[in-house]
Amino acid sequence: MTAPRHIDAGRLRSQLLAPVGPYPSIDVVARTGSTNADLRAAVVEGEPDRTVLIAEEQTAGSGRRGRSWASPPGQGLYLSVLLRPTEVPMAALGSLAVVAGLALTDLTAELGVDAVLKWPNDLLAGPQRAKCAGVLAEAVSSDEQAVVLGIGLNVLPLRERVRPGPGGLPVTSLAEQGARITDRTDLAALLLAALHERELPWRYAHGDLAAAGLLDTYRERCDTLGQQVRLEVAGGRSRLVTAVDVDASGALVVDEEDGSRHTVFAADVVHLRPVPR
C-alpha cells in the first residue's frame, strides 16, 4: 500500500491565508496530543481569530464527554480552528457545532459521498450510516470570548480496530464510501473554505441559525429528526424520545413518551436500528 502524502501546509496557505483567504495562520504539525488542546493554550497566548492547526497524528485526540478519537498518522484530517466571534453571545456558541456539521456535508456532497448528520456532532456516511467525522466545540475562558472548534474526519480506512460509538455505531471513512478525492491537502482546503462560508453568516446573525439562513438546511440534512431515539443525558437515565426539531440555538426538540415536549441542549443520541429478522 502506498503511504499517504503529507498535508502540504504551503499549498493550504497559498489558497486560504490572508489576504487571499480568511485565515491569518495555518500550521501543520507532524504529531501532537490534541489540536484542540493546543489551540486552547493559544487563546491565552493571544493568537488571532481563525487561527488553524492541523495534525498528521494526534496521540490524545478527544471527542465529547472525554471520549477518545482515533487519530493515526496519515489516515485522517485532524484540525482545529480558534474563533473569536465577538458578535456571538456566549449562550449561542453551542450552535457552532451545527455550522461545522453543515460544512462537513457541503464537503461530502462535493466528494460524491452519501452522508447525513446525527445531532449534535456526528457525520454519518454510507448505507449503514457509519460514523465518518465528529465535531467538538469548546468555549475557552479568556479576556476576550473564544471558542475552539475541532473536526476529526476519517479519510482512509483505519488500520487499527476502533471501538464503536454509543449504540454500537460503526466507523467508516471517505475512501470506503467512494469519495472522488482523498488527498488530505485538497480535503483540508475544501473543508476550511466550506467552514468559512457557513461560519460567516452565523457570526453576522449573532449565532442565530434561523437568521443566518442555516437552520432549514440543517433540518434537511439531520437524520436524527423524525426518528425515535435513545437519549442519554449525563448524570441521568437514558430514555426513548422522538426527535422532532432543532431550534435556532441548535438545541434538539423532543417529544417524550408521555406526550410532553422538551428542549435538549446537551446529550448523546442513539439512533435505534431495526432488529434483523
Side-chain angles (χ1 to χ4, degrees), residues 107-113 174-175 177-183 187 190:
L107 174 66
T108 54
E110 176 73 17
L111 302 176
V113 171
L174 293 178
Q177 299 305 324
R180 66 178 188 84
I181 296 172
T182 56
D183 179 276
L187 292 174
L190 288 169

Side-chain angles (χ1 to χ4, degrees), residues 90-236:
M90 179 68 74
L93 289 180
S95 60
L96 186 58
V98 167
V99 176
L102 289 175
L104 281 166
T105 49
D106 291 340
L107 174 66
T108 54
E110 176 73 17
L111 302 176
V113 171
D114 172 33
V116 295
L117 296 168
K118 180 170 81 71
W119 188 91
N121 68 330
D122 290 336
L123 177 79
L124 309 182
Q128 286 190 303
R129 294 302 185 230
K131 184 167 179 174
C132 191
V135 173
L136 179 63
E138 299 179 290
V140 183
S141 297
S142 66
D143 294 337
E144 182 182 342
Q145 180 170 283
V147 57
V148 174
L149 176 68
I151 299 176
L153 174 62
N154 299 329
V155 177
L156 302 176
L158 298 177
R159 300 189 187 102
E160 62 187 64
R161 186 173 181 178
V162 177
R163 180 181 300 175
L169 194 65
V171 175
T172 191
S173 66
L174 293 178
E176 290 170 284
Q177 299 305 324
R180 66 178 188 84
I181 296 172
T182 56
D183 179 276
R184 292 178 303 131
T185 304
D186 291 338
L187 292 174
L190 288 169
L191 180 56
L192 287 169
L195 179 62
H196 173 64
E197 290 299 317
R198 293 296 187 178
E199 188 263 338
L200 204 58
W202 170 82
R203 190 180 291 226
Y204 287 156
H206 311 292
D208 185 306
L209 296 170
L214 303 176
L215 186 55
D216 285 344
T217 305
Y218 184 81
R219 286 167 171 157
E220 292 169 3
R221 299 181 184 182
C222 182
D223 199 46
T224 303
L225 299 184
Q227 287 204 46
Q228 185 181 49
V229 300
R230 189 169 76 244
L231 199 65
E232 299 180 345
V233 181

